[in-house]
């Protein structure tokens, strides 16, 4: 499914360098689909000015979707959503003794008017953030939509092959 990279369309923001290994799952997925992305470390609480500069320049630089991943009392995704009308996907990460529940609640419970599309905690979320970003981009890209259809068909075929159920036989 590897494609030639086109455009720098997705900006991935990490609250810390320590978040990178988990978010490699997102970059791998975007690479597989040939969609260009950039990864920056920008902390909402340690470097708020950097977050501000990055997000305010994102749209003008051609980014179409932002993914923000952070752990702890994770307010990165909300801080990003406050500064842009680009869609923002939040990935809550496990960074404390609370197993990611703290980050999940901080990321998902945004007040009305400032949505953050929140995915699962950790690597599941990293992968789903990338797939959701692709689906958003695919609304304006029929080729990408076809590749996503193929991706979902392959997932279904894999389960079908392993399921042991065949409607023709198991009547
Ligand atoms: C958050 O705190 C980061 O997103 C990270 O998940 C967590 C711990 O950061 P470090 O102390 O490892 O830099 O801001």
């Amino acid at each position: 499914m590897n494609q030639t990279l086109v455009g720098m369309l997705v900006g991935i923001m990490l609250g810390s360098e320590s978040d990178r290994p988990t978010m490699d799952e997102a970059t791998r997925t975007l690479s597989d689909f040939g969609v260009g992305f950039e990864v920056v470390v920008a902390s909402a609480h340690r470097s708020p000015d950097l977050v501000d500069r990055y997000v305010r320049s994102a749209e003008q630089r051609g980014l179409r979707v932002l993914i923000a991943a952070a752990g702890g009392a994770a307010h990165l995704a909300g801080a990003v959503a406050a500064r842009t009308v680009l869609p923002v996907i939040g990935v809550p990460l496990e960074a404390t003794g609370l197993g990611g529940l703290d980050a999940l609640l901080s990321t998902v419970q945004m007040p009305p008017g400032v949505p953050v599309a929140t995915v699962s905690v950790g690597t599941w979320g990293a992968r789903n953030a990338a797939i959701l970003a692709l689906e958003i981009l695919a609304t304006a890209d029929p080729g990408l939509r076809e590749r996503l259809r193929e991706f979902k068909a392959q997932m279904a075929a894999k389960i079908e092959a392993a399921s042991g159920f065949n409607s023709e036989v198991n009547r």
Side-chain angles (χ1 to χ4, degrees):
M1 209 193 296
N2 285 300
Q3 311 284 328
T4 314
L5 286 182
V6 286
M8 197 64 78
L9 300 174
V10 181
I12 301 178
M13 303 178 70
L14 313 178
S16 167
E17 186 57 41
S18 64
D19 298 327
R20 196 180 290 270
T22 306
M23 291 307 291
D24 282 348
E25 189 69 29
T27 59
R28 264 195 297 276
T29 303
L30 293 172
S31 297
D32 284 348
F33 278 85
V35 166
F37 59 86
E38 62 185 16
V39 182
V40 298
V41 177
S43 165
H45 47 277
R46 291 172 177 153
S47 63
D49 291 347
L50 177 59
V51 170
D52 196 55
R53 292 201 307 278
Y54 179 77
V55 177
R56 290 192 193 282
S57 73
E59 194 176 336
Q60 174 209 332
R61 291 189 306 105
L63 296 174
R64 292 292 169 260
V65 184
L66 297 175
I67 295 174
H75 53 180
L76 179 61
V80 170
R83 290 169 166 80
T84 183
V85 294
L86 292 174
V88 177
I89 302 170
V91 188
L93 300 179
E94 183 178 344
T96 73
L98 298 180
L101 184 59
D102 42 359
L104 172 64
L105 296 179
S106 307
T107 305
V108 76
Q109 280 301 95
M110 287 300 293
V114 192
V116 167
T118 305
V119 291
S120 337
V121 174
T123 50
W124 288 10
R127 183 152 169 82
N128 275 349
I131 295 167
L132 181 55
L134 291 165
E135 290 178 346
I136 292 169
L137 295 171
T139 58
D141 182 337
L144 183 54
R145 209 174 312 153
E146 269 322 299
R147 299 210 293 283
L148 281 164
R149 264 197 253 282
E150 174 63 17
F151 162 74
K152 293 209 170 178
Q154 281 173 10
M155 271 196 305
K158 214 166 149 187
I159 304 291
E160 293 261 354
S163 80
F165 177 75
N166 179 338
S167 52
E168 296 307 310
V169 178
N170 302 96
R171 286 184 187 278

